[in-house]
């Protein structure tokens, strides 16, 4: 029970850090390259602790992203739900896949999420005029192996029982 509590604390800390990275101001040249930090962290925790992180958490996380970005309520939420639903269904296969295979699946999921958000933006008359709109999908895919390794290392540090170490 204590291990689950520690994992939830680690998950909360990493989600707060991901939100901070998501809203952090960037130079004009880097705005189009901003990775989807929140989605990547949520994907990791949905793969690691699928019983605790599901579509409900994805919905609320997406709503927080909508509030943070000032977008239409539910726009990011529905994309997050779709991504985490697929991750939740396939988490056992993804956990044993190589980081390259995981990155390919995550690229596809993030691309579909971006298309869904683009569709809503297009209906609202706010469609971007450049292909750079999809760069967060590319940068997130490239960063996935590092995000995975950092979060796995953090998870292992939180779950190690300090009582038996010398």
């Amino acid at each position: 029970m204590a291990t689950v509590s520690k994992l939830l604390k680690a998950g909360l800390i990493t989600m707060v850090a991901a939100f901070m990275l998501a809203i952090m101001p960037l130079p004009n040249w880097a705005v189009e390259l901003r990775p989807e930090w929140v989605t990547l962290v949520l994907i990791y925790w949905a793969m690691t602790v699928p019983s605790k992180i599901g579509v409900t958490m994805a919905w609320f996380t997406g709503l927080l992203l909508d509030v943070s970005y000032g977008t239409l309520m539910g726009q990011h939420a529905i994309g997050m739900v779709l991504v985490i639903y697929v991750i939740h269904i396939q988490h056992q296969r993804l956990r044993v896949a190589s980081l390259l295979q995981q990155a390919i699946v995550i690229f596809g999921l993030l691309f579909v999420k971006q298309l869904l958000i683009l569709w809503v933006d297009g209906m609202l008359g706010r469609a971007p005029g450049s292909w750079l709109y999809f760069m967060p999908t590319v940068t997130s895919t490239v960063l996935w192996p590092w995000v995975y390794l950092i979060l796995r290392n953090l998870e292992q540090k939180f779950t190690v029982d300090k009582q038996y170490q010398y």
Side-chain angles (χ1 to χ4, degrees):
M1 187 64 165
T3 302
V4 173
S5 172
K6 289 179 183 180
L7 278 179
L8 291 177
K9 286 180 186 177
L12 181 63
I13 290 168
T14 56
M15 285 304 292
V16 168
F19 270 101
M20 291 171 66
L21 287 170
I23 62 173
M24 180 177 67
L26 292 176
N28 288 337
W29 62 269
V31 170
E32 299 288 339
L33 302 173
R34 181 190 309 267
E36 296 198 28
W37 295 111
V38 176
T39 308
L40 290 176
V41 171
L42 197 62
I43 286 171
Y44 176 81
W45 289 113
M47 282 176 29
T48 305
V49 195
S51 62
K52 302 291 180 193
I53 306 296
V55 293
T56 306
M57 180 65 78
W59 178 258
F60 287 118
T61 304
L63 288 178
L64 283 174
L65 270 180
D66 290 328
V67 170
S68 298
Y69 293 153
T71 59
L72 182 68
M73 289 298 281
Q75 184 175 358
H76 285 90
I78 194 70
M80 290 287 250
V81 165
L82 178 70
V83 168
I84 297 305
Y85 177 73
V86 173
I87 292 294
H88 201 275
I89 289 173
Q90 300 294 325
H91 77 275
Q92 290 178 334
R93 289 182 184 157
L94 285 172
R95 285 172 46 170
V96 297
S98 70
L99 287 177
L100 178 62
Q101 292 169 330
Q102 288 178 6
I104 291 168
V105 170
I106 288 171
F107 175 81
L109 290 173
L110 292 177
F111 187 75
V112 169
K113 178 182 178 242
Q114 286 290 104
L115 281 175
L116 187 62
I117 293 170
L118 177 64
W119 178 55
V120 174
D121 279 341
M123 288 192 322
L124 295 174
R126 301 184 299 179
S130 170
W131 62 272
L132 290 174
Y133 178 79
F134 292 102
M135 283 308 291
T137 300
V138 174
T139 56
S140 298
T141 302
V142 169
L143 288 175
W144 169 251
W146 288 281
V147 170
Y148 179 86
L149 293 173
I150 289 169
L151 290 177
R152 189 183 68 182
N153 188 20
L154 182 68
E155 173 200 352
Q156 289 172 351
K157 286 185 187 213
F158 268 86
T159 57
V160 170
D161 192 1
K162 302 287 186 193
Q163 178 182 0
Y164 297 108
Q165 289 186 350
Y166 295 104

